[in-house]
Amino acid sequence: MTVRIKEWPGTALSSKDFETGRVLTVHHKPKAEYRWDAGVAIGRYLRELKEGRLIARRCNACGRILLPPRMFCEECFVPTSEWVFVKDTGTVNTFSICHVRWDMVRLKDPQLPAVINVDGASPGMGILHLLGEVRPEDVRVGMRVQAVWKSPEEREGAITDIKYWKPI
Amino acid sequence: MGKVAVVGAGMTKFVRRAQETGRELAWQAARMALDSAGMTLKDVDAVVIGSAPDAFDGVHMKGEYLADGSGGWRKPTMRNFVGGATGVFAPIQGWYHIASGQFDTVLVVCEEKMSSCHPHPQGAFLTIFDHTTERPLGPNLLWIFAIEMNRYMTVHGITKEEIALVAVKNKRNAMDHPCAQLGEELTVEDVLNSEIMAWPVNRLDVSPASDGAAAVVMCAEHVAKRVTDKPVWVEGVGWHLDTAYWTNRDLYYPRYVEYAARMAYDMAGIKEPRKEINIVEPYDPFDYKELHHLEGLLLCERGEAPRLTADGVTQRDGDLPVCPSGGLLGVGNPIAAAGLMKVCEIFWQLRGEAGKRQVPGTPKRGLAQAWGDLMQVGAVIILGR
């Protein structure tokens, strides 16, 4: 019972405890590699990215145009019906100005991740991507943007075939 | 379904890096919970262990690894992992073990030792993003929170100042918690002037990485009546999973919380949560998340939580105390243990044993909530006396 406990367990360590060898540790760096199959729906999505196009799937049961595409509609639980090309323009739904890497190292130039609602997909069907050719302080929710593609020779069938999205 | 009570609770200090191993931390919390219920491991029929990703520890099936410290060897023992929601889902699992009639007494233990993961435990979360459509963009975990916080602020016209009040409140509340890692007296300016990480998120908007453990003892009605004259009853539970296509939903509102809350309210027979819930421990790994979750819990209108905070309603002596423990922002965030810490807090508050943190009046009913993964998993438990 919280009021009756006088000494709570748990011992906080400081960096000095390690420097002086007061506490001992064991270090291990795992090495694991993966090669993920893109699958049916995302496989086609990647092939179209290589062609400089964005493709989605329509579910004729609910009428949604799904992006990223999937071969089954997770809401209707039926196969999706057809491939639909969508535009490479869209609207910034929300964004961040990120100054740190995952390990908290500061970045020289901030990254601008955003959710972009793509024109031609159902409302709210956003994808995660990056913004570019814009000053961070000028980015706004609702801003119209267009994909900036790598050159056809550089494209490899990956989400990064779009370098970033720029304001239009 | 049989009635289920919480009859004991325990926890360790939450610290940046603990000398104790995960098993040692789990044992300390588990033993304290049993002692507080006047029970021993012999009284326990089954064990539930909650612990977040194996990648934190670099240990395969770490629930089983923790099981001796949790009293789980040679017993029916299960580990659950639903991301950040684990710490509130674990007692829900304890509840259905008992409500089903299969067990009379269940020990629920949640542990997290994040400090083992180098150079930063956030590395364990990089695999949360889709490996084909998102990870090549180089995302880190802060992106989704910053992106969600911005959407929430933009839709409702909420300012960073309004949100910072949550960090100030919770870190102050934590000064009264004997296990707290980051209790301190701060101002809104301190939060706004702290290092910017991923706008709109600054350093002091975020809870810390922590090591720690928490535990509760749950039992059937006939056992509860024998072991305590102050049982705290599980009145409602709810859980829910939203889509992993997180960019396909409007992040301004946490539906995963609302559906979990509605399930719990229905079970508890609660029609007007704002009037019938006296004390709340919503999940607050980020300050805006407390506000977001209060709205998802239907404790205020959408976009109204900042005003409740500014008006002092959510202070410990306010009309609806929110995170009287100090929350994850103040007590610390050893993921699974942090969620169960909230359940411990409701237990202690309802029994009038919360010491300096005790909310005034005699709260009859409290709610703890946690969320997990890509803003997907909602878990809600309602306790009452």
Side-chain angles (χ1 to χ4, degrees), chain B residues 208-383:
Chain B
S210 317
D211 294 350
V216 296
V217 180
M218 304 177 79
C219 55
E221 185 174 14
H222 67 277
V223 178
K225 290 195 164 155
R226 193 177 75 229
V227 300
T228 181
D229 52 6
K230 288 199 290 183
V232 170
W233 301 102
V234 178
E235 297 190 348
V237 298
W239 64 98
H240 192 80
L241 179 67
D242 206 340
T243 168
Y245 292 111
W246 62 280
T247 58
N248 286 178
R249 344 177 207 128
D250 199 325
L251 300 171
Y252 90 99
Y253 183 72
R255 285 191 312 187
Y256 57 88
V257 178
E258 180 183 327
Y259 294 142
R262 284 189 185 280
M263 179 176 161
Y265 292 147
D266 281 351
M267 180 179 154
I270 291 173
K271 301 274 186 289
E272 295 183 84
R274 177 69 180 84
K275 290 183 186 157
E276 298 176 68
I277 299 286
N278 306 130
I279 172 173
V280 199
E281 282 278 344
Y283 203 57
D284 63 322
F286 291 73
D287 45 12
Y288 81 95
K289 279 308 249 183
E290 173 171 311
L291 305 171
H292 208 226
H293 288 158
L294 283 174
E295 294 170 16
L297 290 167
L298 310 174
L299 292 168
C300 59
E301 297 297 319
R302 297 183 189 189
E304 195 197 24
R307 192 180 56 73
L308 291 189
T309 308
D311 291 350
V313 173
T314 62
Q315 294 284 349
R316 206 182 270 148
D317 59 357
D319 191 45
L320 182 68
V322 178
C323 289
S325 65
L328 278 51
L329 289 162
V331 185
N333 187 11
I335 312 279
L340 195 58
M341 175 277 286
K342 288 180 169 290
V343 178
C344 293
E345 181 70 12
I346 299 292
F347 172 76
W348 286 321
Q349 291 281 354
L350 294 180
R351 301 228 310 188
E353 295 172 357
K356 286 200 285 185
R357 303 188 310 287
Q358 187 64 48
V359 305
T362 46
K364 284 198 159 31
R365 193 186 260 149
L367 179 154
Q369 170 261 329
W371 129 76
D373 224 73
L374 290 167
M375 291 82 92
Q376 272 179 279
V377 188
V380 171
I381 191 165
I382 297 168
L383 302 179

Side-chain angles (χ1 to χ4, degrees), chain B residues 129-143:
Chain B
F129 293 96
D130 184 273
H131 51 60
T132 305
T133 59
E134 294 175 339
R135 268 195 252 171
L137 300 168
N140 70 60
L141 195 67
L142 281 172
W143 283 18

Side-chain angles (χ1 to χ4, degrees), chain B residues 19-39:
Chain B
Q19 181 172 14
E20 292 80 1
T21 63
R23 304 156 85 170
E24 289 167 342
L25 290 168
W27 182 81
Q28 287 172 326
R31 184 59 204 261
M32 189 190 294
L34 285 171
D35 284 349
S36 79
M39 295 174 120

Side-chain angles (χ1 to χ4, degrees), chain B residues 11-67:
Chain B
M11 67 182 287
T12 68
K13 288 178 192 158
F14 288 180
V15 296
R16 174 67 189 88
R17 187 163 185 179
Q19 181 172 14
E20 292 80 1
T21 63
R23 304 156 85 170
E24 289 167 342
L25 290 168
W27 182 81
Q28 287 172 326
R31 184 59 204 261
M32 189 190 294
L34 285 171
D35 284 349
S36 79
M39 295 174 120
T40 71
L41 191 56
K42 288 196 175 63
D43 300 310
V44 173
D45 302 320
V47 172
V48 170
I49 297 171
S51 202
D54 287 355
F56 277 155
D57 300 63
V59 172
H60 176 62
M61 291 182 76
K62 75 164 168 170
E64 287 67 17
Y65 163 80
L66 292 169

